[in-house]
Amino acid sequence: MNTFVLYNYFRSSASYRVRIALNLKQIRYDYKAIHLINNGGEQHSAEYGRLNPSHDVPTLVHNGKPIGQSVAIIEYLDEVETYQPLFPKDPYKRALIRQACEIVNSGVQPLGNLRPLAELSKRFGATDEQKRDWSIHWIDYGFRTLENFLVNHAGKFSFGDEVTAADCFVMAQLYAAERFNLSLEPYPTLKRIHETCSKIEAFRNAHPDYQPDSPKKT
Amino acid sequence: MNTFVLYNYFRSSASYRVRIALNLKQIRYDYKAIHLINNGGEQHSAEYGRLNPSHDVPTLVHNGKPIGQSVAIIEYLDEVETYQPLFPKDPYKRALIRQACEIVNSGVQPLGNLRPLAELSKRFGATDEQKRDWSIHWIDYGFRTLENFLVNHAGKFSFGDEVTAADCFVMAQLYAAERFNLSLEPYPTLKRIHETCSKIEAFRNAHPDYQPDSPKKT
């Protein structure tokens, strides 16, 4: 039995970030699927709420102790598993990597989440097309911000030629481009990072299409 | 001359978080006001964009080196200044504190920011009252989530009887209750944390009303 259990959803980008980090660190874990839409959203159950008061995914349970929020989980993994560090030792470099993570995590991803999209429909009668446009607006905004930031720091990866926590966040956000069929041509640095990471097994195996709860999985 | 410079805006809750952390650590800093509304928003200038690619506040500059995003800044401050630690040593406790920070930072605060509110007007013709209702919806959602989480962890502060980074985020978010005249009665744990922190000079001096760019400052 694994001591790590990840409650998550194949398509959730916050879940995808954590799966990448677990794979990079070669931590084996039990995959528990929480379907965000079926059964009215399995994350809303009282039972799940005891693990995660935000009723969202992912939740990592380690030795029976739950942690929510992808940033908190990835920092924790880096503190308890020294294999393949996701942050360097220098405090300023760590800060820049955290800044990149947060441009995704708090800067743009929350705006395209299921919850605000549902409120747009409820309050403003937003159509599917209007919700799609809203999502794409924030994705493009985030990509432009990341491009402007990472062009000064990236090598093969987001920061130089070593993988860091930033790559977990950037790659999960780039999945939004796949979902909405957006070209990465306007963001050459992000395109390069995407090409690098896509070749690495830890990233590939974390991709939404290859999870046990993905309908694409064969 | 101080080696720390904080580019910020009195009313910005992310700025407020960082001011609390700086004060708790007794770090002196130069206050540079960036007005988010006057002059079309001073954060949009090309000059400011060189410090912060997200064109948002706050930005901390330490020895000439800029850092954006309040989470990255507060983690950095805790790494370079050991006086008054904002995180304990135990990895699991650190994770729970980061989880609380992120419930505010990525879970709810981004939804009430100036940028999405402007898009609500532009795309859906949202009135001031509709934008106010939208903001209050997410504030209440965040407070309920925090209450459910912190009721299991709080003492006088968010985590036990020692101040942590979580208090910087919780107090800055509670300022939203002041702005919108919301009662804290439905959130007794948050109310207790608010009472504790409000008595402490480091928190009081960081309050939006007492900043150099506040119109209320006398």
Side-chain angles (χ1 to χ4, degrees):
Chain A
M1 188 182 142
N2 295 309
T3 60
F4 290 91
V5 181
L6 185 66
Y7 291 80
N8 77 132
Y9 180 56
F10 72 104
R11 191 181 271 156
S12 140
S13 77
S15 300
Y16 185 7
R17 300 167 193 161
V18 172
R19 292 193 302 259
I20 297 168
L22 285 161
N23 289 353
L24 284 168
K25 289 185 164 288
Q26 300 191 0
I27 295 172
R28 292 177 61 89
Y29 61 96
D30 289 344
Y31 190 108
K32 300 272 189 187
I34 299 291
H35 202 292
L36 299 189
I37 296 161
N38 289 353
N39 308 316
E42 296 173 354
Q43 74 280 19
H44 299 305
S45 76
E47 188 188 350
Y48 187 71
R50 281 190 287 276
L51 288 180
N52 187 323
S54 301
H55 289 276
D56 60 15
V57 287
T59 305
L60 180 77
V61 178
H62 183 208
N63 294 325
K65 294 190 285 188
I67 306 169
Q69 297 289 340
S70 63
V71 162
I73 294 170
I74 289 172
E75 295 265 5
Y76 176 80
L77 290 173
D78 209 48
E79 291 180 358
V80 299
E81 175 51 70
T82 54
Y83 179 78
Q84 181 62 70
L86 298 176
F87 294 94
K89 294 220 181 300
D90 176 69
Y92 185 64
K93 286 184 189 159
R94 295 164 69 83
L96 294 179
I97 290 165
R98 288 184 173 122
Q99 181 176 349
C101 293
E102 289 295 347
I103 288 172
V104 172
N105 182 60
S106 64
V108 295
Q109 197 275 333
L111 296 161
N113 241 337
L114 285 176
R115 277 200 193 88
L117 293 178
E119 289 297 318
L120 291 180
S121 297
K122 190 174 142 190
R123 291 165 185 267
F124 304 107
T127 62
D128 285 350
E129 195 185 337
Q130 284 176 316
K131 288 191 282 186
R132 186 187 148 86
D133 287 349
W134 167 275
S135 296
I136 290 174
H137 172 80
W138 297 113
I139 292 165
D140 171 64
Y141 172 78
F143 284 173
R144 284 185 285 122
T145 304
L146 279 174
E147 179 68 28
N148 287 340
F149 186 40
L150 297 181
V151 70
N152 299 314
H153 299 290
K156 290 191 294 180
F157 291 99
S158 299
F159 288 85
D161 292 329
E162 300 288 337
V163 73
T164 66
D167 299 303
C168 303
F169 286 77
V170 170
M171 274 299 277
Q173 190 63 20
L174 286 170
Y175 172 60
E178 291 178 44
R179 288 184 69 188
F180 290 100
N181 286 315
L182 305 181
S183 164
L184 293 183
E185 293 304 326
Y187 328 103
T189 307
L190 302 187
K191 186 163 180 267
R192 187 171 77 238
I193 296 165
H194 189 262
E195 284 165 3
T196 304
C197 295
S198 297
K199 291 177 195 145
I200 296 170
E201 200 177 15
F203 285 86
R204 275 209 315 272
N205 289 346
H207 190 283
D209 288 354
Y210 305 118
Q211 304 316 307
D213 52 340
S214 168
K216 285 196 189 168
K217 187 166 165 67
T218 49
Chain B
M1 188 182 143
N2 296 311
T3 60
F4 289 91
V5 182
L6 185 67
Y7 291 81
N8 76 132
Y9 180 56
F10 72 104
R11 191 180 274 155
S12 139
S13 77
S15 300
Y16 185 7
R17 301 167 193 160
V18 173
R19 293 193 302 260
I20 296 168
L22 285 161
N23 290 353
L24 285 169
K25 289 185 163 289
Q26 300 192 1
I27 295 173
R28 292 177 61 90
Y29 62 95
D30 290 344
Y31 189 108
K32 300 273 188 186
I34 298 291
H35 203 293
L36 298 190
I37 296 162
N38 289 354
N39 307 316
E42 295 173 355
Q43 74 279 20
H44 299 305
S45 76
E47 187 187 351
Y48 187 70
R50 282 189 287 276
L51 287 180
N52 187 323
S54 302
H55 289 275
D56 60 16
V57 287
T59 306
L60 180 77
V61 179
H62 184 208
N63 294 324
K65 294 190 284 189
I67 305 169
Q69 297 288 340
S70 63
V71 162
I73 294 170
I74 289 172
E75 295 265 6
Y76 176 80
L77 290 173
D78 209 48
E79 291 180 358
V80 299
E81 174 53 69
T82 53
Y83 179 78
Q84 181 62 71
L86 299 175
F87 294 93
K89 295 222 181 298
D90 175 70
Y92 185 64
K93 287 183 188 160
R94 295 164 68 83
L96 294 179
I97 291 165
R98 288 184 175 122
Q99 181 176 350
C101 293
E102 290 295 347
I103 288 172
V104 173
N105 183 60
S106 64
V108 295
Q109 197 275 333
L111 295 161
N113 242 336
L114 285 176
R115 278 199 193 88
L117 293 178
E119 289 296 320
L120 290 181
S121 298
K122 191 174 141 192
R123 290 166 185 267
F124 303 106
T127 63
D128 285 350
E129 194 185 338
Q130 285 176 315
K131 288 191 283 186
R132 185 187 150 85
D133 286 348
W134 169 273
S135 296
I136 290 174
H137 172 80
W138 297 114
I139 292 165
D140 171 62
Y141 172 79
F143 286 173
R144 282 185 287 122
T145 305
L146 279 174
E147 179 69 26
N148 287 340
F149 186 40
L150 296 181
V151 70
N152 299 316
H153 299 290
K156 289 191 297 181
F157 292 98
S158 300
F159 288 84
D161 291 330
E162 299 289 335
V163 73
T164 66
D167 299 303
C168 303
F169 286 77
V170 170
M171 274 299 277
Q173 190 63 20
L174 286 169
Y175 172 60
E178 291 178 43
R179 287 184 69 188
F180 290 100
N181 287 314
L182 306 182
S183 164
L184 293 184
E185 294 303 327
Y187 328 103
T189 308
L190 302 187
K191 187 164 180 267
R192 187 171 77 237
I193 296 165
H194 188 262
E195 284 165 2
T196 304
C197 295
S198 296
K199 291 178 193 144
I200 296 171
E201 201 177 15
F203 285 86
R204 276 209 313 274
N205 289 345
H207 190 283
D209 288 353
Y210 304 118
Q211 305 315 307
D213 53 338
S214 167
K216 286 196 188 166
K217 186 166 162 71
T218 49

